[in-house]
Amino acid sequence: LQIGLGLWTYFLKAYAMPSFSHPLLNAFIVTVHVTVGALLLGLAAVLALWTYRTKPVGGAKSPGKMADFLTLTKPGISFMTGLMALAGFVLGSGGSVDSNRLLDAVVGTLLVSAGACALNMVMEVEVDALMRRTEKRPLPARRLKPGEALFFGLLLSATGLLYLGSAVNLLTAALAALSLGIYLGLYTPLKRVSVLCTAAGAVAGALPPVLGWTAATGRLGIEAGALFAILFFWQFPHFLSFAWLYQEDYTRAGLRMLPVPERDGSRTARSILKYTAALLAASVLPAVLGLAGPVYLLTACSLGLVLLSIERSFLLDRSSATARRIFMASVFYLPLLITLMILDRHPYFL
């Protein structure tokens, strides 16, 4: 009803259709439009409070449905996605940064990412139930119904795409839709089939800074490709080390992450070193393309070499302790690298 009233109002103003244009009718439509909007906002507030107070499905103890819905969005991943979109926007802004457009880009990206994570949990509820790391998530623990999570994920994803398309630009919305499609249509089902799932996931995970770049510039470019390459190669040491730590869980759930099919981990170790070497090369590109200067270049090379030295120990000792060191090093590496890049380009942004 609200959408219909809004479209009616829009077309009346845009095309001034005489057959539908009457002062009393126009006033009535606008009044109803505002009234329905106020009722929807009030209803949303009531439903939010009711949802927060609703007992979990199955009687299991829970911090509340609001917390469970937040868990569906995988806050850590969504936060990192928004941060990378912010970085891409700032790096794409040649002069001053348009704070309003930046906010629109980050909010839209966060909504799409949160929706994708929720839909991913719906698709993997059976897998999550088989792994100790994920068995207490809202869906396998039956604190939420799949229909609730499905609606929540679709709502967030659709809202994010529409928001990007209307408040930012269509190119950014199209790239966000591509990332959503790859994450849900390729990465998620491939996890049960092939070790190539990591590459598919890396493509989807490398698009957020590109979204920020296109939001700021309205175009793609080789600079956006450099940001994509950094995020793409970074994900391999990050996720392969994580998969090594939880290979028993992945094996139990029938997932085909790289550490699962092999016993000694030699291929995993070589892959980590190979992709980190590619990451080191990709991290030089912003300086070559003029996005950053010599200070960034020196620091980026130093960070890459430190990461490689940590990973070399995993080649010699494929234990959980060394894999955990790689994972933690990768967690610190990316924010440091991106922050240095931003400060090099916009020294007073932070």
Side-chain angles (χ1 to χ4, degrees):
L1 175 62
Q2 179 73 331
I3 291 172
L5 291 169
L7 289 173
W8 187 316
T9 305
Y10 170 77
F11 282 113
L12 282 176
K13 291 182 178 179
Y15 301 104
M17 298 179 290
S19 57
F20 293 95
S21 181
H22 188 278
L24 290 177
L25 179 61
N26 292 350
F28 175 75
I29 293 296
V30 171
T31 302
V32 174
H33 188 209
V34 174
T35 303
V36 172
L39 289 173
L40 283 174
L41 286 173
L43 179 61
V46 171
L47 287 175
L49 291 172
W50 174 81
T51 302
Y52 181 78
R53 294 173 61 87
T54 300
K55 293 181 179 180
V57 179
K61 290 184 178 180
S62 167
K65 272 199 170 184
M66 292 291 283
D68 283 333
F69 277 115
L70 179 63
T71 300
L72 288 180
T73 67
K74 298 183 180 178
I77 293 177
S78 294
F79 174 78
M80 184 61 72
T81 299
L83 184 64
M84 290 302 105
L86 181 147
F89 190 98
V90 174
L91 291 169
S93 302
S96 61
V97 178
D98 186 340
S99 57
N100 291 328
R101 197 171 184 84
L102 170 62
L103 182 62
D104 289 335
V106 172
V107 169
T109 303
L110 280 172
L111 287 171
V112 175
S113 175
C117 289
L119 293 174
N120 170 263
M121 284 202 187
V122 174
M123 296 173 68
E124 293 194 325
V125 59
E126 295 179 358
V127 171
D128 286 346
L130 296 173
M131 296 194 293
R132 293 189 180 93
R133 182 177 62 87
T134 57
E135 63 185 2
K136 294 183 180 180
R137 284 177 173 175
L139 289 176
R142 300 184 61 199
R143 296 195 304 272
L144 289 178
K145 295 178 182 178
E148 293 175 309
L150 177 62
F151 176 78
F152 182 65
L154 289 173
L155 178 64
L156 289 177
S157 300
T159 302
L161 292 174
L162 290 172
Y163 190 83
L164 288 173
S166 60
V168 183
N169 56 53
L170 292 178
L171 175 59
T172 304
L175 289 172
L178 176 63
S179 178
L180 182 69
I182 293 173
Y183 184 66
L184 298 176
L186 283 179
Y187 170 68
T188 301
L190 271 177
K191 287 168 74 174
R192 299 189 182 191
V193 179
S194 170
V195 296
L196 293 176
C197 61
T198 304
V203 172
L207 283 173
V210 181
L211 299 184
W213 179 273
T214 58
T217 64
R219 61 173 178 81
L220 289 169
I222 190 171
E223 300 91 347
L227 298 176
F228 176 90
I230 290 173
L231 263 291
F232 178 81
F233 292 121
W234 169 82
Q235 290 175 85
F236 286 90
H238 180 73
F239 286 112
L240 289 179
S241 59
F242 183 81
W244 180 263
L245 290 171
Y246 292 98
Q247 59 179 314
E248 291 184 5
D249 260 359
Y250 288 138
T251 302
R252 188 181 302 108
L255 299 182
R256 301 287 294 176
M257 304 295 283
L258 179 56
V260 172
E262 60 171 358
R263 294 182 179 180
D264 63 350
S266 57
R267 184 182 171 190
T268 300
R270 290 195 302 272
S271 295
I272 288 175
L273 284 170
K274 176 178 66 176
Y275 285 109
T276 302
L279 170 62
L280 176 57
S283 68
V284 172
L285 292 176
V288 174
L289 298 173
L291 283 177
V295 174
Y296 162 81
L297 177 61
L298 179 62
T299 310
C301 291
S302 301
L303 287 174
L305 291 174
V306 169
L307 191 58
L308 278 171
S309 66
I310 294 173
E311 292 168 353
R312 184 175 176 276
S313 63
F314 183 68
L315 188 63
L316 304 174
D317 175 24
R318 290 182 287 277
S319 64
S320 296
T322 52
R324 188 171 287 105
R325 280 197 292 270
I326 294 172
F327 178 77
M328 294 307 301
S330 67
V331 168
F332 285 103
Y333 170 89
L334 186 61
L336 277 174
L337 186 76
I338 296 299
T339 300
L340 286 167
M341 201 184 306
I342 291 174
L343 290 177
D344 198 276
R345 188 166 178 82
H346 294 277
Y348 304 107
F349 176 75
L350 298 179

